[in-house]
Amino acid sequence: SLSPVANPELADSNGQGLTDANNLERTLVTQVAKLNKQVQQIERQYDTVDERLSELQPQAHDLQQLLNKQQRELSENEKRHAVLAGEYDSLHQILH
């Protein structure tokens, strides 16, 4: 801690330096305690987010696989549609 003996500039004839040092120390201790509390809250939030992410990752993976499957099916259907449209045009020309 800060003391007038270690810091002669803090000492004066009425002890104001010691009072100022004590006030400063209390202020610093209070600020450090507030910062520690904020850090603990942030750590808890991080843990909560991490847990939630762990829960959601398998669902996201399943949804990605489903999306890939649906995209493949869509591509196949588009190809099939193109073939059928070509056959329809050919048949239409033959009939008319």
Side-chain angles (χ1 to χ4, degrees):
S1 79
L2 301 174
S3 72
V5 174
N7 298 295
E9 65 276 4
L10 294 177
D12 61 21
S13 59
N14 64 5
Q16 186 63 42
L18 183 58
T19 301
D20 290 346
N22 287 337
N23 288 340
L24 178 60
E25 185 175 5
R26 278 195 298 276
T27 300
L28 291 174
V29 167
T30 301
Q31 289 176 347
V32 167
K34 286 179 183 178
L35 289 172
N36 282 335
K37 185 176 180 181
Q38 288 177 345
V39 167
Q40 289 173 351
Q41 289 172 340
I42 291 169
E43 287 173 345
R44 283 194 297 273
Q45 289 172 349
Y46 177 83
D47 290 343
T48 300
V49 168
D50 197 40
E51 276 181 32
R52 188 70 178 131
L53 181 61
S54 294
E55 293 171 2
L56 292 176
Q57 279 180 328
Q59 294 174 12
H61 179 72
D62 292 344
L63 288 172
Q64 183 65 48
Q65 287 182 328
L66 178 60
L67 176 61
N68 292 342
K69 178 184 172 192
Q70 289 175 340
Q71 287 174 332
R72 282 191 305 272
E73 290 173 355
L74 176 61
S75 178
E76 291 170 10
N77 286 336
E78 288 172 341
K79 290 176 189 175
R80 202 172 306 133
H81 177 269
V83 168
L84 291 174
E87 290 177 1
Y88 174 82
D89 288 342
S90 298
L91 290 173
H92 185 72
Q93 288 176 357
I94 292 170
L95 290 175
H96 297 280

